[in-house]
Structures are given as C-alpha cells and as structure tokens.
C-alpha cells in the first residue's frame, strides 16, 4: 500500500502562507448574527431574556424557588421551613444574579460539560456560606431532571418577552394602523383586484381591514397558555415518591408551576412536550404574515403615489440616483418577517417531536427561542418607522378615480337588474370592457337608459367613482368597537 501523501499547508496564489486569523472580540462589527451586530441597538433588551446569561438566570430562579418549595412541605422534615432571613438571601440571589455570576457557571460547565449541573454546583457554593442553607445543600435540584428546570425557565423567558416586548410592540403596530383607518376613513380610493381597477373603497377602510386582522392574531398570541412541569425523569414522580411516599407530589408540582406564573401540564414525559410553544409561534407567525401583507400593500400604495414619504435630512436613497426616496422601512420589515417566520415555523414543527420519552434534538433548537422573536420585533419597529413617514396625497387618489369611470359599470348594471332591463351585465360589458370610459361617455350611457325610471337615471347620473364607496367610511369609523370585541 502506498504511503499517504503528507498534508499540505494552504498557501495563497502568490505562494505566501496566510497569517493566522486574529480572534475578534464580540461587538456590533464582529457579531455573526445581525441581531447582535447591525441591529444590536434595537434588540439589546432581549439579551436579558434569551441570551445564555438570561437562560442561566432563569434556571437559578427556578432552582431557588424549588428549594423554597421543599421547605414548605411538612413531610420533608429534612428541609425545615426557612427563616425570613434565609428566604431573603434566596430571593436576592435569584433577583440579582449577574453576568459575572453566570461566568462562574460557565467556568464550572467547562469541567462538567453539563450546563444545568453547573448551575447546581454554583448554587451550592453560594449556599455553603449560610448555615441554614448549608444544612440542606443536597436538596438543591432535589428529584429534578434537567428538563424540569429548563422547561420552566423557557416558560418564564417567553412570558417575560411577551409581556415586556412582543405584545406591546404588536399593540403599537395595531394602534398606528388603526390611526390611519380613522384619519383616512372618508378618503375615497380606487381598489384593485388582480391588479386591475375595481370598485372603490376608502383608504381608512382598507387600513381597518389590517388592524382587525392583526388584532385577532395578537389576541391569540396573548391567549396561549405557557405550560410547565416538574415531574422528574419520565413524568411520573418516580424518585419523589420513593423518597417521600406520603407527599402528593403531583399536587405540589401543580401548585409550584402555578406560583411561577405558568400553567401546569399534567401529562408529560421527561420533557414538557412544547406543544404550547408551537401554538405561540404559530400565532406569532400569522401576525407576521398579515404584517407582510400590509407592508407589501403600503409599498404598492407608495409606488402608485397614494402616499409620499417624508424625507429625513442626510439620508440617501440610492448611491447613484439622488432623487430616490425608497420605501426601505416596509422592505426591511418584510425581509425580517420572512426570517422570523422561517425560524418560528421551524421551531413550531420541530419542538413537539421527541423520540420516546426524550431525545436531545430540542435542546439546541430551544437555544434559538429569541431569534425569531428578535427578527419579529425588528420588523415591527421598521413598519412603525415606515408609517411615521407617510403623507397621503389625496389629489393623486382623486386623479386615479377620475381616470376610472368604468368602475361604475357595477352599480349601473345592478340598478338595471332591479328595474328589469334585459341583459344589463352584457350591455355594460360591451360598453366598458377594453374601452376607454370617461365621465362624459358614462353619463351619456346612463342618459340612454330609457327603460329606467327618471329618478333612477338621475341617481345614476349623479354617481361618481369617488362617491361610490358603499359603507367603507362607516366601517373605518366603527373599527374601535370591533377591536374591543376582538379582545
């Protein structure tokens, strides 16, 4: 057998060996993810929740609360009720757990190669300095599997993100779209179906459609219960019951999960099955999909000239075309919403699946809980920025309507039907389809409808594209009541 060829050192085309790559410290310039780099200023609040530090801090809070729970169970005599001082020490440890503290956990993890066990060891070190806590060191993480701690931590993290960031941002988007609905309730607008001129509406009513759709999905996001469990290695409280058979461990677990602000899941394996996360991210993805629809419509209205955009001093629209004022905010929103949904939908499809009583495929995926949320929040802020720049051009909307008298074919043929005029649709089709229709030609057509009563002809003659809007204005003005009902 021939000897293996010696390994070659890579060289550049000019024969120079490249220098070793410098290790770059993490910053906005060196971050791989734009969420921590270019967009870090917008997403930095999420670092407190979804970073490695945020996860470790949540784990500490759960571990501390579980030890306090054990001290409250009369049958667990080895952990007597804690004094007010001991509880204060535990509460402060959970509340004030710092990045420096988390660094200690990471240092221990380099030895244990197990992140949750490293948290347990750091807590034991802290407890060792307090006599009352030192006496119960081995009840830290008592009867718990790592997923007992993790699933509750994830629930706490998602709950904080929803209440502090996601729902308020969604509410801001809905409020701004609702403002457009109210402000432009009476402004007539030519609709387009299949890209072609269609029956008019008002700009406000079309905004109301989006506000109502978004509100429904926002409310579904808020309604998803965040579930939790602390049932041991396979969900049966096996070790708990061997150690303390007289304790109603399922009752204890239910109360403990509820006190954390989560909803108890009574049927679990080693893991909480994550179905609620799939439900939550599904609702978020639907909100995001509706917002993509909104972004694209606003982009199109800007392209039609229905909206102008306020310029900002110093901004550049194009590196070569000085006149450009691009709808970049709606474009950035659309792009980030696509990224967000790709992540949210993957997590929603993957997380509910786990082989037998548990496999580890969810672990690495769960570390990305905040990524889809981060891209979502970026999108919401971009949409809001885009809305803030809008200036409606009513003259342009009127010009479009005045060029589209053919849209009155619908009401005219409908009135003809009422009065028994034969083949009304066919007559209007022959008159309008593929033809240039003007105010004069349409009114001449109406004047020739001698089969109609004089009053009906007069009403049709007075009809214009900008007055033919049905109850669109009333719908826009009634939006507030419907949004309250949606909640």
């Amino acid at each position: 057998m021939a000897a293996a060829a010696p390994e070659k050192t890579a060289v550049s085309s000019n024969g120079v060996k490249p220098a070793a790559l410098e290790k770059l410290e993490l910053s906005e310039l060196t971050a791989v993810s734009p969420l921590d780099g270019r967009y870090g200023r917008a997403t930095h609040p999420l670092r407190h929740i979804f970073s490695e530090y945020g996860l470790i801090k949540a784990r500490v809070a759960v571990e501390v609360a579980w030890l306090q729970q054990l001290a409250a169970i009369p049958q667990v005599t080895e952990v007597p009720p804690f004094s007010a001082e001991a509880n204060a020490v535990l509460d402060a440890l959970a509340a004030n757990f710092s990045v420096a503290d988390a660094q200690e956990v990471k240092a221990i993890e380099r030895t244990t190669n197990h992140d949750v066990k490293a948290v347990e060891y750091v807590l034991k070190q802290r407890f060792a300095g307090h006599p009352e806590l030192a006496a119960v060191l081995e009840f830290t993480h008592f009867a718990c599997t790592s997923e007992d701690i993790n699933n509750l931590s994830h629930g706490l993290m998602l709950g904080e993100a929803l209440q502090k960031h996601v729902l308020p941002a969604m509410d801001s988007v809905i409020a701004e779209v609702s403002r457009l609905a109210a402000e432009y309730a009476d402004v007539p607008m030519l609709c387009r179906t299949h890209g072609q001129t269609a029956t008019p509406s008002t700009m406000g009513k079309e905004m109301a459609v989006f506000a109502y759709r978004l509100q429904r999905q926002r409310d579904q996001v808020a309604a998803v219960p965040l579930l939790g469990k602390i049932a041991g290695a396979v969900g049966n409280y096996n070790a708990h019951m061997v150690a303390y058979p007289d304790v109603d461990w399922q009752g204890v677990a239910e109360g403990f999960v509820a006190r954390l602000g989560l909803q108890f899941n009574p049927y679990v394996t080693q893991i909480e099955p994550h179905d609620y996360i799939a439900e939550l991210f599904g609702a978020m993805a639907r909100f995001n999909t509706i917002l993509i629809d909104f972004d694209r419509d606003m982009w199109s209205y800007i392209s039609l000239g229905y909206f102008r955009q306020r310029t900002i001093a110093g901004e550049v629209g194009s590196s070569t075309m000085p006149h450009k004022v691009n709808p970049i905010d709606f474009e950035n929103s659309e792009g980030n919403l696509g990224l967000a949904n790709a992540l949210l939908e993957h997590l929603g499809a993957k997380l509910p699946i786990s082989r037998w009583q548990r496999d580890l495929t969810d672990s690495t995926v769960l570390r990305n809980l905040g990524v889809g949320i981060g891209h979502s929040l970026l999108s919401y802020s971009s949409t809001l920025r885009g809305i803030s720049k809008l200036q409606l051009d009513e003259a342009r909307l009127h010009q479009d309507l005045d060029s589209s008298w053919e849209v009155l074919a619908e009401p005219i043929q409908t009135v003809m039907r009422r009065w028994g005029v034969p083949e009304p649709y066919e007559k209007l089709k022959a008159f309008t389809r593929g033809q240039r229709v003007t105010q004069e030609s349409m009114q001449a057509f109406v004047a020739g409808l001698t089969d109609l009563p004089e009053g009906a002809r007069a009403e049709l003659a007075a009809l214009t594209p900008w007055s033919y809007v049905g109850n669109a204005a009333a719908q826009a003005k009634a939006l507030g009541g419907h949004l309250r009902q949606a909640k």
Side-chain angles (χ1 to χ4, degrees):
M1 180 181 293
E7 188 174 309
K8 295 182 178 179
T9 302
V11 294
S12 64
S13 58
N14 62 7
V16 178
K17 181 180 177 181
L21 288 176
E22 172 191 1
K23 182 178 180 181
L24 298 176
E25 293 299 319
L26 182 63
S27 72
E28 289 189 8
L29 289 174
T30 61
V32 173
S33 169
L35 287 179
D36 291 313
R38 183 178 183 86
Y39 305 130
R41 286 172 291 178
T43 61
H44 72 87
L46 293 182
R47 295 175 187 172
H48 293 273
I49 303 172
F50 291 116
S51 64
E52 184 79 356
Y53 159 67
L55 174 58
I56 293 172
K57 184 175 182 180
R59 286 168 170 161
V60 167
V62 173
E63 293 276 15
V64 164
W66 181 240
L67 185 60
Q68 291 173 314
Q69 174 67 67
L70 294 174
I73 302 173
Q75 297 94 321
V76 184
T77 55
E78 290 80 4
V79 187
F82 289 140
S83 65
E85 180 196 357
N87 275 318
V89 169
L90 291 170
D91 291 342
L93 175 59
N96 301 322
F97 197 81
S98 67
V99 173
D101 295 328
Q103 292 285 12
E104 291 184 41
V105 174
K106 297 302 291 183
I108 291 176
E109 186 188 345
R110 284 193 282 274
T111 298
T112 64
N113 198 30
H114 196 289
D115 47 4
V116 177
K117 201 66 178 176
V119 170
E120 177 188 342
Y121 287 162
V122 166
L123 288 176
K124 285 181 174 179
Q125 290 174 0
R126 295 287 196 277
F127 297 162
H130 189 283
E132 195 173 342
L133 299 177
V136 295
L137 277 187
E138 293 309 321
F139 283 85
T140 308
H141 199 71
F142 177 78
C144 289
T145 184
S146 296
E147 271 307 295
D148 285 330
I149 307 304
N150 284 335
N151 89 94
L152 296 172
S153 299
H154 293 139
L156 294 176
M157 293 157 69
L158 288 168
E160 182 178 357
L162 286 170
Q163 295 305 317
K164 290 184 177 179
H165 304 292
V166 176
L167 292 173
M170 287 180 169
D171 288 339
S172 294
V173 171
I174 294 167
E176 279 301 285
V177 178
S178 299
R179 178 184 63 78
L180 296 178
E183 188 172 340
Y184 304 136
D186 294 306
V187 179
M189 182 192 82
L190 182 67
C191 288
R192 284 173 168 79
T193 58
H194 311 284
Q196 309 302 307
T197 58
T199 300
S201 181
T202 70
M203 180 62 77
K205 183 265 176 176
E206 300 313 304
M207 297 298 102
V209 170
F210 281 110
Y212 185 75
R213 293 174 66 194
L214 290 167
Q215 183 71 57
R216 287 190 67 251
Q217 299 311 316
R218 178 267 182 217
D219 293 342
Q220 291 186 36
V221 169
V224 173
L226 309 182
L227 304 185
K229 72 93 170 180
I230 187 161
V234 293
N236 304 327
Y237 309 94
N238 304 54
H240 309 63
M241 294 174 68
V242 169
Y244 294 96
D246 296 331
V247 174
D248 174 13
W249 284 107
Q250 182 158 329
V252 168
E254 184 170 0
F256 177 70
V257 171
R259 279 188 289 279
L260 290 177
L262 305 174
Q263 183 171 313
F264 178 66
N265 187 344
Y267 290 99
V268 297
T269 59
Q270 185 173 109
I271 65 171
E272 196 291 318
H274 311 314
D275 297 342
Y276 85 87
I277 300 179
E279 295 164 11
L280 174 64
F281 285 175
M284 281 192 66
R286 290 193 299 275
F287 183 97
N288 290 352
T289 296
I290 294 167
L291 197 58
I292 290 174
D293 198 21
F294 175 82
D295 287 336
R296 290 178 178 176
D297 275 13
M298 300 311 293
W299 186 97
S300 300
Y301 291 143
I302 291 168
S303 180
L304 290 171
Y306 288 3
F307 287 103
R308 297 191 304 272
Q309 298 176 96
R310 293 184 181 90
T311 58
I312 297 177
E315 277 196 356
V316 174
S318 166
S319 62
T320 187
M321 294 175 282
H323 69 284
K324 296 293 289 295
V325 184
N326 295 326
I328 57 172
D329 298 303
F330 295 112
E331 293 172 335
N332 284 338
S333 175
E334 180 183 340
N336 275 297
L337 288 167
L339 280 170
N341 279 6
L343 290 159
L344 296 174
E345 289 167 2
H346 174 67
L347 267 67
K350 190 275 154 289
L351 288 177
I353 299 171
S354 186
R355 295 172 180 86
W356 293 342
Q357 284 68 53
R358 199 269 157 98
D359 66 39
L360 202 64
T361 56
D362 64 335
S363 179
T364 188
V365 175
L366 284 164
R367 294 183 187 277
N368 292 276
L369 282 181
V371 182
I373 291 175
H375 282 288
S376 297
L377 292 176
L378 266 180
S379 302
Y380 306 159
S381 63
S382 293
T383 294
L384 289 169
R385 191 161 50 249
I387 291 173
S388 73
K389 296 177 182 178
L390 295 176
Q391 293 177 307
L392 190 70
D393 189 340
E394 292 192 41
R396 177 68 186 90
L397 272 78
H398 185 83
Q399 180 187 39
D400 226 8
L401 288 162
D402 198 27
S403 300
S404 305
W405 282 80
E406 67 273 7
V407 298
L408 298 185
E410 180 190 40
I412 292 170
Q413 65 98 5
T414 303
V415 171
M416 290 167 68
R417 287 175 186 272
R418 176 192 172 184
W419 294 105
V421 178
E423 298 185 328
Y425 179 88
E426 288 72 20
K427 289 175 180 176
L428 267 299
K429 176 182 175 183
F431 172 59
T432 60
R433 198 166 193 228
Q435 307 298 317
R436 169 73 174 137
V437 180
T438 65
Q439 180 176 6
E440 293 75 18
S441 64
M442 182 60 80
Q443 290 180 341
F445 180 87
V446 170
L449 297 175
T450 55
D451 291 342
L452 293 180
E454 184 177 346
R457 284 203 312 276
E459 289 175 0
L460 290 177
L463 198 60
T464 67
W466 47 91
S467 66
Y468 178 51
V469 294
N471 73 339
Q475 288 191 46
K477 293 173 183 177
L479 173 64
H482 288 291
L483 292 185
R484 285 190 291 274
Q485 291 174 19
K487 294 181 180 180

